[in-house]
Amino acid sequence: MNVELEQLRRLMEEQLRVTRTLKRRVAELEGARRAPLAVVGLGLRLPGGITTPEQYWTFLNSDATAHGPIPHDRPGLRAVYDPTPGKPGKSYVDHAGFLRDIAEFDSSFFGISNREAEALDPQQRLLLETSWEAMERAGIAVRRADRLNVGVFVGIMGAEYSQRFVRGADKSGVDAYYGTSGGLCFAAGRISYALGLSGPALSVDTACSSSLVALHLAAQALRNEECRYAIVAGANLLLSADLMVSLCQSMALAPDGRTKAFSADADGYGRGEGVGALVLMTLDQALREDRPVLAVLRGTAVNSDGASSGLTVPSGPAQQQVIQAALQEAGVPPEDVGYVEAHGTGTRLGDPLEVGALQAVFGQAAAARGVPLAVGSVKSRIGHLEAAAGIASLAKVVLMLRSGQIPAARTAADGPLNPLIPWADSHLVVPQQSTPWPAALPRRVAGVSAFGLSGTNAHAVLEAFEPELLPALLPHRAPAVARAPLPPVPQLLTLSAKTPSALEQLVSSVAARLPGLDAGELSAVCHTMRCGRVAFGYRVAVTGQSGADLARRLGTAPIEDTTPAFARLTLRCGAPAPTTAAAVDHLASCYPQLAGGDQHNDPAPQRLARMLTRFGLTVSTRDDPALSAGTVHLDWAGQTYPLVTADPDQTPGLLLAALAGLFRAGADLRFDVLRRPGDRIVTDLPCYPFQRRRYWIEEPADMPLAALDAEVGAPATGGGDLTESSVAESLMLELKAALRADDDLDPRQSFLEVGGDSFTAMLFIKGVEQRYQTTVPLEVVDMEAPLSVLLDSLAADIVGSSLTVARVGS
């Protein structure tokens, strides 16, 4: 009997262990499905000349609006304007929220030829720029060859620029770029291609909710581990009169072109342009990588109006359901939400329905806590950005949560609130002045709504990142351990760009930020520029003790034109001495990550060599009797850098000076090992200064577009003997014409790097074949070889085939 009881006891203990394991695993899976996500980067182009998050926040805290007349480079929109509503084929709107300089683009930075850039939808151009800036602000260096595991999710609903390639029956303007320049799928695909990303790439069109639905899909992909980072973007430009006329025919637009959300004089929405991108990752991973957490995304939800009273008519019950679903996904009760960025289009039907849905979800909780729910809509300030509206709203809420301020959603000049909304019976308020987040609320939580004209609705719940809330957000995460302060060290600042002019701009803007920074701030800035930015060919590197010191040295530092260098390094060591070990020990104490798992029993030169390998360098050591005892020098590519002297305290500065020299000479260095505890990514540093030029095809006129291949393929003229050098020069000119390049091509760059692709390769080969009466297979164009190698090889083949033909003919 005792044996049976013992067996039963063991069986019950085993069952209990299995049950606990299963419960723990279920909790882990449930936690992963609802894992909090971090917003770590933002890039913006919004009406009113807003190009940075800082400018956006300043704008939101002002009384300004960003509406203006139709720009002169939109003749189609201007031509259909007639102030009389209802006229067939006419638009009664001549104001909207327009972007500035949408024709400007830095094509060479993204490896796009002038020919393709001119055909490329400006939405795609701006998406490339804002995505790059969002990644830089997140401190994620995008090296194309790395194929970072980044997903791209873009909200976009129109491609009006491509309409100008077709002029009635004349299709001569339709070339190989017609599809890729305007197809919506390429908005996401081009970002992945240009930045070399390996995660899913999706373009989403659900009309006005497109970019918030893109956020929902990105959140799912991150939680399902389909990607490590996610770029969520939205784009909207007003380039064609067609949709403007259609919206006016349905009387959907406000005659003055301005959205007046929740106001008595709301009479339709005002349109707007905008492009933006934000970078997401799991909060846990963001903290591990020391990324800046601008806000926490708690939950998202998407649904549809379904069988409403009309295809484009909003549904109050559907709006309630999507908000409730997002709150449930987030694990956030309604009473915790202090603000909702509403869809708020300023229409007589839409605003009352939305306020009713918000009251149904939040009203009782707001009444119980005694703090009304604040509601606003940025559409009143910048217009309704349609497919990009969600990005503008998200960016606003992220900035609000970070600052703890709720900007005014309306001013006294906006007049009374909409009388069709029972404000007195609701527990909602539309702020008329900027106020702090209500102190009575224990957390800063906000919602964002977007309701598509298609019937697709989306809602997102975000929360301010506050370290004291981490145990609730990430219960498995171990608390941070306090560390003893490290010895003070000099600073190394590295800057680079693709052109000298861009680097000059970057140097100037960064230098202006440095004076006045304390030691911790300066260390964070230098860490950000070293590790959060890509190293390009033109470089500057300086060392110094203070921000003012670095700024002064930047002002006189020469710009170096470098090529990647892979030479081996040699440590020349004098006779062993105690100072050598002391110097290496001091270096390890200053940079804990540099020391790694170093063995202190090893000879000091070997330890120092191992430290250098952690920068990605190949290092060998040798004894040098000519050096003083205890001295160590680093030799590389004909340069000598002292690393260890009689004073061990000088070693950190000497190492940084050597690294600066290596960086300027073209070495690809892994600077992350210099990171010290407390170094963080600074989000508001200057981003890459794109060198823009105008790429613009005017709207259709009477004259047909010239055929694209008219510029190339002219038969050879003149006589003379063919030489490989003369043919190579001719081929370079032929390639320049195919790319429509203004400047001479850099022979060190590859066909891809100068903007070549399969289409321009075909044009180039066609021109070569006609000029030299020969056949050039497309596969001989090695797109990754330097142009000098490619063209010399082709020239040799052409000259060789010409000599063979000459011999056969004789």
Side-chain angles (χ1 to χ4, degrees):
M1 187 67 175
N2 290 337
V3 172
E4 291 179 352
L5 287 174
E6 179 64 19
Q7 289 177 340
L8 181 60
R9 184 184 65 79
R10 289 178 180 177
L11 181 62
M12 292 179 67
E13 287 178 348
E14 176 63 18
Q15 187 61 44
L16 182 60
R17 186 187 65 79
V18 171
T19 300
R20 287 171 175 168
T21 300
L22 290 174
K23 285 184 176 180
R24 186 167 57 250
R25 181 57 181 155
V26 168
E28 289 174 357
L29 292 173
E30 184 67 16
R33 189 179 73 83
R34 295 182 174 179
L37 305 176
V39 179
V40 296
L42 275 175
L44 298 171
R45 299 288 186 275
L46 296 176
I50 297 169
T51 61
T52 68
E54 294 76 33
Q55 291 175 349
Y56 192 25
W57 184 239
T58 299
F59 171 83
L60 289 170
N61 284 283
S62 72
D63 292 334
T65 61
H67 300 81
I70 299 171
H72 289 281
D73 61 1
R74 321 287 177 92
L77 290 173
R78 297 166 69 88
V80 298
Y81 171 69
D82 188 299
T84 306
K87 276 197 175 182
K90 294 295 183 179
S91 158
Y92 53 77
V93 174
D94 66 346
H95 278 66
F98 289 102
L99 294 184
R100 300 174 185 171
D101 304 324
I102 64 171
E104 305 293 318
F105 181 53
D106 191 344
S107 62
S108 62
F109 180 86
F110 294 102
I112 296 174
S113 69
N114 289 352
R115 176 186 293 278
E116 185 175 11
E118 189 175 71
L120 189 58
D121 188 331
Q123 291 181 121
Q124 292 192 34
R125 305 177 198 167
L126 292 167
L127 282 167
L128 286 173
E129 291 188 0
T130 53
S131 296
W132 181 272
E133 290 176 358
M135 293 293 277
E136 281 201 337
R137 285 175 174 269
I140 303 172
V142 181
R143 299 175 184 87
R144 197 168 187 268
D146 289 350
R147 295 194 75 245
L148 287 176
N149 186 14
V150 182
V152 180
F153 305 83
V154 177
I156 186 169
M157 59 178 271
E160 298 176 338
Y161 187 71
S162 59
Q163 295 177 12
R164 54 193 67 194
F165 293 94
V166 180
R167 307 189 176 192
D170 178 16
K171 310 296 183 187
S172 63
V174 177
D175 66 2
Y177 294 128
Y178 178 78
T180 57
S181 68
L184 299 187
C185 64
F186 295 103
R190 188 176 296 278
I191 295 171
S192 289
Y193 169 76
L195 275 58
L197 311 177
S198 64
L202 306 175
S203 294
V204 180
D205 177 11
T206 59
C208 318
S209 58
S210 296
S211 50
L212 209 59
V213 173
L215 176 78
H216 176 70
L217 297 175
Q220 291 181 327
L222 286 167
R223 288 168 174 150
N224 291 334
E225 298 184 354
E226 297 170 25
C227 50
R228 181 172 183 171
Y229 311 103
I231 295 173
V232 180
N236 196 63
L237 294 180
L238 313 182
L239 301 177
S240 167
D242 295 348
L243 183 56
M244 187 75 84
V245 170
S246 174
L247 291 168
C248 285
Q249 294 303 306
S250 66
M251 307 297 290
L253 301 185
D256 62 358
R258 180 170 177 247
T259 299
K260 296 170 279 291
F262 311 121
S263 293
D265 56 353
D267 53 357
Y269 82 84
R271 300 187 74 192
E273 299 182 321
V275 180
L278 57 84
V279 179
L280 284 177
M281 60 191 303
T282 65
L283 177 61
D284 193 23
Q285 192 67 36
L287 295 175
R288 280 193 217 141
E289 297 182 11
D290 296 296
R291 303 286 171 206
V293 180
L294 308 181
V296 179
L297 178 65
R298 298 296 308 275
T300 61
V302 171
N303 74 358
S304 174
D305 289 338
S308 63
S309 59
L311 173 63
T312 62
V313 177
S315 165
Q319 293 179 15
Q320 293 179 42
Q321 291 164 8
V322 78
I323 296 170
Q324 290 166 338
L327 289 170
Q328 183 177 1
E329 176 75 12
V332 171
E335 55 265 27
D336 283 0
V337 179
Y339 177 85
V340 169
E341 177 67 11
H343 189 56
T345 53
T347 58
R348 294 187 183 278
L349 175 62
D351 283 4
L353 276 174
E354 183 171 11
V355 170
L358 292 172
Q359 171 64 19
V361 176
F362 297 103
Q364 185 175 352
R369 73 190 183 192
V371 178
L373 176 73
V375 177
S377 174
V378 75
K379 296 176 180 67
S380 296
R381 308 285 302 280
I382 62 175
H384 183 359
L385 306 192
E386 296 164 342
I391 287 294
S393 296
L394 282 167
K396 173 185 174 181
V397 167
V398 167
L399 296 173
M400 289 172 57
L401 291 171
R402 198 173 189 210
S403 69
Q405 286 287 121
I406 299 177
R410 58 195 308 275
T411 67
D414 291 323
L417 290 170
N418 190 333
L420 300 178
I421 299 174
W423 297 103
D425 298 328
S426 74
H427 297 89
L428 278 62
V429 62
V430 183
Q432 196 166 313
Q433 61 185 8
S434 179
T435 59
W437 206 273
L441 301 183
R443 303 151 65 190
R444 296 203 298 272
V445 181
V448 180
S449 290
F451 308 132
L453 197 65
S454 63
T456 300
N457 307 309
H459 189 81
V461 179
L462 296 96
E463 182 171 2
F465 175 66
E466 298 177 275
E468 57 267 26
L469 298 177
L470 273 179
L473 292 172
L474 300 172
H476 63 281
R477 185 176 176 82
V481 178
R483 294 181 61 107
L486 299 182
V489 292
Q491 294 297 333
L492 166 63
L493 178 62
T494 60
L495 303 176
S496 70
K498 286 194 172 184
T499 65
S501 58
L503 185 50
E504 288 173 0
Q505 285 181 246
L506 186 60
V507 165
S508 176
S509 57
V510 171
R513 286 290 306 274
L514 300 175
L517 297 178
D518 63 30
E521 293 168 336
L522 183 62
S523 185
V525 166
C526 292
H527 165 67
T528 300
M529 300 309 293
R530 288 194 308 261
C531 298
R533 305 295 167 89
V534 178
F536 297 114
Y538 290 92
R539 302 183 177 189
V540 165
V542 295
T543 61
Q545 297 287 345
S546 67
D549 191 16
L550 290 174
R552 184 177 62 255
R553 295 186 183 190
L554 278 178
T556 59
I559 292 176
E560 304 287 349
D561 180 5
T562 67
T563 54
F566 305 98
R568 293 178 60 88
L569 290 83
T570 301
L571 279 179
R572 291 189 293 114
C573 309
T579 53
T580 310
V584 177
D585 288 341
H586 182 56
L587 204 56
S589 69
C590 291
Y591 302 106
Q593 292 193 59
L594 187 59
D598 213 356
Q599 300 297 317
H600 289 272
N601 295 330
D602 290 341
Q606 291 184 16
R607 292 172 57 200
L608 185 58
R610 269 201 302 271
M611 288 180 174
L612 292 173
T613 63
R614 295 187 177 109
F615 291 100
L617 300 169
T618 302
V619 185
S620 61
T621 62
R622 70 177 178 87
D623 295 333
D624 188 348
L627 291 180
S628 302
T631 301
V632 179
H633 285 184
L634 176 67
D635 289 348
W636 185 75
Q639 299 291 319
T640 296
Y641 303 98
L643 287 186
V644 178
T645 64
D647 183 0
D649 290 344
Q650 290 187 358
T651 304
L654 293 172
L655 174 66
L656 296 184
L659 293 173
L662 295 175
F663 178 81
R664 288 192 296 264
D668 184 13
L669 300 168
R670 293 200 293 267
F671 283 121
D672 52 299
V673 293
L674 288 181
R675 183 181 178 275
R676 287 153 56 94
D679 283 349
R680 57 186 175 82
I681 296 295
V682 181
T683 63
D684 61 348
L685 290 176
C687 292
Y688 188 91
F690 295 115
Q691 304 298 286
R692 299 177 178 88
R693 56 159 287 182
R694 185 175 177 83
Y695 296 99
W696 191 251
I697 292 177
E698 299 297 339
E699 293 184 60
D702 295 334
M703 294 295 292
L705 291 172
L708 282 176
D709 60 356
E711 304 167 19
V712 297
T717 58
D721 295 331
L722 291 179
T723 65
E724 291 186 16
S725 61
S726 66
V727 172
E729 291 177 7
S730 176
L731 293 178
M732 182 67 84
L733 294 175
E734 196 75 44
L735 179 57
K736 183 177 177 181
L739 296 169
R740 287 186 183 161
D742 296 322
D743 301 322
D744 291 339
L745 303 178
D746 186 344
R748 299 172 298 178
Q749 292 187 308
S750 69
F751 189 82
L752 287 175
E753 289 174 324
V754 297
D757 55 24
S758 58
F759 176 53
T760 47
M762 180 268 294
L763 289 176
F764 170 61
I765 287 174
K766 179 179 177 181
V768 172
E769 290 178 338
Q770 290 187 12
R771 180 173 296 276
Y772 293 106
Q773 300 300 301
T774 187
T775 300
V776 181
L778 182 61
E779 55 267 22
V780 306
V781 180
D782 185 348
M783 296 192 179
E784 295 184 357
L787 292 182
S788 58
V789 175
L790 169 64
L791 300 185
D792 286 348
S793 176
L794 283 175
D797 289 344
I798 290 170
V799 171
S801 63
S802 298
L803 291 175
T804 301
V805 170
R807 292 192 189 101
V808 172
S810 61

